[in-house]
Amino acid sequence: MSLLCQAILALFFTLFYNSHGYFIPQGSVGIGYNGYFTLTNTTKHAYGQAFDSELYSIKNSSTGLLTSFSVNFFFAIVPEHNHQGSHGMAFVMSPTRDLPRASSDQYLGIFNETNNGNTSNHVIAIELDIHKDDEFGDIDDNHVGININGLRSVVSAPAGYYDDKDGNFRNLSLISRKVMRLSIVYSQPDQQLNVTLFPADISVPPKKPLLSLNRDLSPYLREKMYLGFTASTGSVGAIHYMMSWFVNGVVEYPRLEFSRIPILPRYPKKSSNRTKTVLAVCLTVSVIAAFAASWFGFVFYLRHKKVKEVLEEWEIQYGPHRFAYKELDNATKGFKEKQLLGKGGFGQVYKGTLPGSDAEIAVKRTSHDSRQGMSEFLAEISTIGRLRHPNLVRLLGYCRHKENLYLVYDFMPNGSLDKYLNRNENQERLTWEQRFKIIKDVATALVHLHQEWVQVIIHRDIKPANVLIDHDMNARLGDFGLAKLYDQGFDPETSKVAGTFGYIAPEFLRTGRATTSTDVYAFGLVMLEVVCGRRLIERRAAENEEYLVEWILELWENGKILEAAEESIRQERNRGQLELVLKLGVLCSHQAASIRPAMSAVMRILSGVSQLPDNLLDVVRAEKFKGWPETSMEEVLLDVNSLSTLELTDSFADHGR
Ligand SMILES: *[C@@H]1O[C@H](CO)[C@@H](O)[C@H](O)[C@H]1NC(C)=O
Ligand SMILES: *[C@@H]1O[C@H](CO)[C@@H](O)[C@H](O)[C@H]1NC(C)=O
Ligand SMILES: *[C@@H]1O[C@H](CO)[C@@H](O)[C@H](O)[C@H]1NC(C)=O
Ligand SMILES: *[C@@H]1O[C@H](CO)[C@@H](O)[C@H](O)[C@H]1NC(C)=O
Ligand SMILES: *[C@@H]1O[C@H](CO)[C@@H](O)[C@H](O)[C@H]1NC(C)=O
Ligand SMILES: *[C@@H]1O[C@H](CO)[C@@H](O)[C@H](O)[C@H]1NC(C)=O
């Protein structure tokens, strides 16, 4: 594949993902199972709206016409009753970020009785309707419709898809609890809007759409619009999940895969009055028992219970646990020096064992000098605490005590990657297979943080010391998102710029703004260190070898890039991979942010789905990058369709615990 395509692709994904900020929740929007957005909860006659924080420019300002676009999202609806829908959800394009005074029930949280159907709304919605409302001429209680300014659909069809295999129509039930994908594509040249619904396990949209509307949508929409989702409940409840979404400014049919499609929990059972009474009695009894137990000194018994609770699934779903200081103090034997695992810019890390269980934990102690910003801190912690991924270190909980904050993580027995990069004679060297796996693990974690989670999380402090190795030699990224907290003034001891010297991207120093691209920069350097088995800067090395990246570039120019790899792993059979990772590392850690690929592109290259272009050296060596060459949209399209295997890697692999 040509460099051009690769470059466009990288740039394209960067723009595409960075273009949206985060959701602003209104009404009953919350975060449910595994961090997915729930647009409604169990409250009846309620609605939720979640619009992107930023406006999208969707018109060409000189022609006043819409630009083509595509939106893909994954969703699922969990009904209260298996065979009866609530009201449904919709993808909405709106001139305002919230739709004030919208109504629940049949109005889907978009319109109300007065403004329904008014042409001054400037709203287009694609509804996933699970209730038959005769007043709006609904065809059934399980349909997809295109709505302009009101709830009476312009076109609609029963939920289902045309199978590419035989062209036959297959029914789908929107309330089946199954994850489905909706693909919305608008082509301005064709003045055509296509909507395709299909199960999430089909990774490429079926060729024949469910709905097709031939109309120029330009007159209905404003130049800049907010994109988002709404859902509502009526007298029957349903939880509407929005799992992840992708917006793009061109006609596109991306291949999107979940490596394991989640099975969503059932609708929470209402506890009847009788169970409530039983519960209340149990609670009272247990409170009394608890008092009695502590009086009689059965503290251990209690501790044991508590510790077990920490690891319960429900607790993990609803965010991290708040530990009592005493628990942590006991766990770390009073923060004894002997328990100290390490010290970093942000505090000390102690090893501990939760009393009453053999769960090993790592407790990070960090000081903060003010009460200010505490609520932001806690909000941040709860976001971070909900992240579950096999390549992220789990944050189990936190504690506040006096001037200190304590963060409790899973203990990683094999320490950090840092240790393995030491030129210490006694340190066992990692094999190439182990190293390559570590690199891929970290990349997977970053793809998750940057692109798969409901909001973009920038790590801000990627370095070998933050890459931890678990029992099975899997790498897990630690400390994610926290650098931001320190940025906000949580750590008086460190310098102003959060991050670690050497791993800070040049544009970050200039602008002070961390982006996904600054993470890619640091990741590129880590890749190089892993292959070369040395530090970024080594004073003892020969003069031309002192700065790792420069040295690699010099070797590359002389056609000897492999010599940069550490001797113990330099073998013929590793040759291809070594070269790939070295070059990719140089590309990622390039001074010009515009040259660095997005993490999804990095992942594709690492997993062999895409290849590095042949003339990469020319690009990397260019003194100053002058922007990607002009290309027509067709080329971009071609490229995306031929190779975008965006892997939504599994975020549920924590099951095995
Ligand atoms: C459910 O949403 C309503 C708003 O519609 C909100 O008041 C309520 O607190 C939410 N319930 C839960 C359990 O989050
Ligand atoms: C807007 O439309 C004009 C005329 O068709 C075209 O030349 C221009 O490139 C378009 N601008 C954008 C940003 O697409
Ligand atoms: C409906 O919403 C509009 C604003 O979108 C508001 O002006 C109007 O008063 C609302 N009507 C009702 C009945 O709430
Ligand atoms: C539509 O809404 C506008 C502004 O809210 C209002 O002035 C107008 O009367 C409405 N039209 C109808 C037919 O209700
Ligand atoms: C699909 O659903 C429609 C309407 O509910 C029904 O008439 C039809 O028989 C179903 N088709 C299949 C193949 O189940
Ligand atoms: C919409 O679907 C039709 C097939 O029914 C297809 O020919 C057309 O190209 C599609 N339009 C867009 C914009 O994808």
Side-chain angles (χ1 to χ4, degrees), residues 102-392:
S103 300
S104 63
D105 294 64
Q106 69 268 38
Y107 295 101
L108 295 179
I110 317 174
F111 303 112
N112 63 24
E113 205 181 332
T114 10
N115 66 8
N116 180 32
N118 191 322
T119 52
S120 68
N121 287 335
H122 298 288
V123 168
I124 289 186
I126 313 297
E127 61 170 28
L128 298 158
D129 199 337
I130 53 178
H131 191 267
K132 185 171 189 291
D133 295 298
D134 293 324
E135 57 177 312
F136 307 137
D138 282 354
I139 48 170
D140 62 13
D141 61 358
N142 182 45
H143 65 270
V144 183
I146 300 175
N147 299 358
I148 301 178
N149 290 328
L151 286 154
R152 186 172 284 274
S153 301
V154 181
V155 278
S156 62
Y161 66 104
Y162 296 94
D163 199 328
D164 274 346
K165 277 192 219 100
D166 49 15
N168 285 343
F169 186 76
R170 307 243 186 282
N171 284 342
L172 286 175
S173 166
L174 293 172
I175 57 169
S176 59
R177 280 207 294 150
K178 299 224 168 77
V179 180
M180 291 180 231
R181 172 172 159 197
L182 196 74
S183 173
I184 302 164
V185 176
Y186 177 72
S187 157
Q188 182 60 31
D190 300 330
Q191 307 203 333
Q192 188 174 45
L193 178 70
N194 282 357
V195 176
T196 318
L197 172 76
F198 51 103
D201 55 9
I202 300 183
S203 51
V204 184
K207 294 222 163 46
K208 184 169 178 195
L210 178 64
L211 296 174
S212 193
L213 176 68
N214 290 300
R215 191 179 290 190
D216 179 8
L217 298 181
S218 311
Y220 304 106
L221 299 175
R222 295 257 170 84
E223 202 159 295
K224 290 186 175 167
M225 301 289 286
Y226 286 100
L227 309 187
F229 299 87
T230 68
S232 71
T233 58
S235 49
V236 176
I239 296 180
H240 298 85
Y241 285 90
M242 206 294 293
M243 336 240 349
S244 65
W245 71 308
F246 307 93
V247 187
N248 193 6
V250 289
V251 170
E252 194 219 358
Y253 293 95
R255 183 188 171 89
L256 299 168
E257 280 170 16
F258 272 96
S259 59
R260 201 189 308 159
I261 294 165
I263 296 164
L264 295 167
R266 291 192 175 279
Y267 193 87
K269 282 264 177 326
K270 207 176 16 190
S271 44
S272 68
N273 274 346
R274 213 180 116 199
T275 23
K276 271 189 194 149
T277 322
V278 172
L279 262 174
V281 171
C282 284
L283 244 135
T284 320
V285 170
S286 60
V287 167
I288 296 170
F291 270 109
S294 55
W295 274 109
F296 292 105
F298 290 137
V299 186
F300 262 89
Y301 166 73
L302 271 183
R303 284 268 158 70
H304 185 70
K305 263 188 80 178
K306 194 148 209 168
V307 168
K308 266 171 78 188
E309 268 171 32
V310 171
L311 304 169
E312 293 285 354
E313 194 58 39
W314 65 265
E315 179 110 43
I316 284 156
Q317 263 183 50
Y318 295 105
H321 173 82
R322 182 164 181 172
F323 284 88
Y325 175 72
K326 207 89 207 119
E327 264 177 295
L328 300 184
D329 192 55
N330 281 347
T332 57
K333 308 202 172 94
F335 294 96
K336 264 219 193 82
E337 198 70 19
K338 222 181 78 205
Q339 303 289 111
L340 192 65
L341 290 170
K343 265 186 221 175
F346 297 148
Q348 301 95 340
V349 184
Y350 293 87
K351 183 181 171 182
T353 308
L354 285 174
S357 84
D358 42 10
E360 291 191 314
I361 53 171
V363 183
K364 173 170 251 186
R365 179 168 71 184
T366 172
S367 61
H368 70 98
D369 60 350
S370 75
R371 251 148 250 276
Q372 262 178 355
M374 189 42 83
S375 60
E376 282 98 328
F377 177 82
L378 294 180
E380 196 74 26
I381 291 289
S382 74
T383 309
I384 294 164
R386 282 197 209 95
L387 277 163
R388 298 289 156 213
H389 190 277
N391 299 118
L392 293 174

